[in-house]
């Protein structure tokens, strides 16, 4: 099961997979970080579709087409802002990963790439976020063998080290 979960170092906007995930905000109308990069690469039609969605709650997800991206779909999820850990942040982060994968299955996606949700501007500690992400993905895949591959697309080496460690802990 766990051979389906991988990490790569790279830019998620360049990945040719069924769906990429966007670490969005609740407006779904764009922002900085990976959200800005996805909107720039997809083109203005993505924002036009996002405007029809009426936003999204933290921990939930909504799907759009990928437009100019190589990926067929974008799954947008607002991660939790880190407030110290007592505001349900771990449960909300796990819910992001589950919600995205549920939408992926519903839309026939077999390959899904995630960015490191909430660990940028939202300041979720990477060590905690990586363990939550990998454990949640692994649990989901046990119940959904139709998903063939899930990758964490890490934008820097430090992020990749943490997700690799969380995957190794699963297997050990
Ligand atoms: N490909 C892959 N990962 C990337 C890319 C990229 N092209 N660009 C950045 N990252 P962040 P958050 C990494 O801040 O913490 C936005 O303004 C980045 O290095 O993008 O969930 C939204 O609109 C980090 O590891 O997302 C929200 O307001 C990870 O993506 C807010 O930021 C997430 O960093 C969401 O904050």
């Amino acid at each position: 099961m766990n051979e389906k979960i991988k990490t790569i170092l790279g830019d998620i906007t360049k990945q040719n997979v069924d769906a990429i995930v966007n670490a969005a905000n609740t407006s779904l109308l764009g922002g900085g970080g990976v959200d800005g990069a996805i909107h720039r690469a997809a083109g203005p039609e993505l924002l036009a579709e996002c405007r029809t969605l009426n936003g999204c709650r933290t921990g939930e997800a909504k799907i759009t087409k990928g437009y100019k991206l190589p990926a067929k779909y974008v799954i947008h999820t607002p991660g939790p802002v880190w407030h110290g850990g007592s505001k349900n942040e771990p449960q909300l982060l796990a819910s992001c990963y589950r919600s995205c994968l549920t939408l992926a299955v519903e839309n026939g996606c077999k390959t899904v790439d995630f960015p490191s949700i909430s660990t940028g501007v939202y300041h979720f500690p990477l060590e905690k976020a990586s363990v939550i992400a990998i454990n949640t993905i692994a649990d989901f895949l046990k119940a959904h063998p139709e998903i063939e591959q899930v990758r964490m697309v890490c934008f820097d080496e430090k992020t990749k080290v943490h997700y690799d460690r969380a995957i190794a802990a699963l297997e050990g």
Side-chain angles (χ1 to χ4, degrees), residues 10-13 23-25 30-35 37 115-123 153-156 159:
D11 179 346
I12 202 165
T13 68
N25 58 58
V34 70
D35 193 5
S116 178
I117 299 167
S118 284
T119 69
V121 173
Y122 283 179
H123 291 298
V153 181
C154 303
F155 208 46
D156 56 75
T159 300

Side-chain angles (χ1 to χ4, degrees), residues 5-7 126-132 134-135 152 154 157-172:
I5 310 176
K6 293 194 169 73
T7 66
L126 190 49
E127 191 159 350
K128 289 184 172 51
S130 55
V131 172
I132 292 165
I134 296 302
N135 288 348
M152 295 300 311
C154 303
E157 189 62 48
K158 180 182 164 211
T159 300
K160 187 172 184 296
V161 165
H162 279 87
Y163 285 93
D164 282 337
R165 200 175 287 159
I167 292 170
L170 266 185
E171 289 157 359

Side-chain angles (χ1 to χ4, degrees), residues 22-52:
N22 181 15
N25 58 58
T26 56
S27 79
L28 298 187
L29 298 179
V34 70
D35 193 5
I38 288 171
H39 276 275
R40 275 193 302 278
E45 285 172 297
L46 178 61
L47 182 59
E49 185 175 357
C50 284
R51 285 193 203 286
T52 69

Side-chain angles (χ1 to χ4, degrees), residues 7 19 23 30 32 40 51 67 72 82 86-87 94 100 104 107 111-112 114 116 118-119 150-151 155 159 171:
T7 66
R40 275 193 302 278
R51 285 193 203 286
Y67 299 99
K72 187 170 181 205
W82 181 256
S86 57
K87 295 268 197 314
C100 289
N107 287 275
T111 54
V112 183
F114 282 93
S116 178
S118 284
T119 69
V150 177
R151 300 188 306 183
F155 208 46
T159 300
E171 289 157 359

Side-chain angles (χ1 to χ4, degrees), residues 63-131:
I63 192 164
T64 65
K65 290 188 276 187
Y67 299 99
K68 295 197 173 88
L69 292 164
K72 187 170 181 205
Y73 295 105
V74 180
I75 301 174
H76 307 261
T77 187
V81 178
W82 181 256
H83 289 292
S86 57
K87 295 268 197 314
N88 239 17
E89 296 94 326
Q91 292 79 3
L92 287 167
L93 187 64
S95 172
C96 286
Y97 284 90
R98 268 195 305 273
S99 301
C100 289
L101 290 168
T102 300
L103 270 181
V105 167
E106 287 171 1
N107 287 275
C109 299
K110 296 187 181 307
T111 54
V112 183
D113 279 4
F114 282 93
S116 178
I117 299 167
S118 284
T119 69
V121 173
Y122 283 179
H123 291 298
F124 204 116
L126 190 49
E127 191 159 350
K128 289 184 172 51
S130 55
V131 172

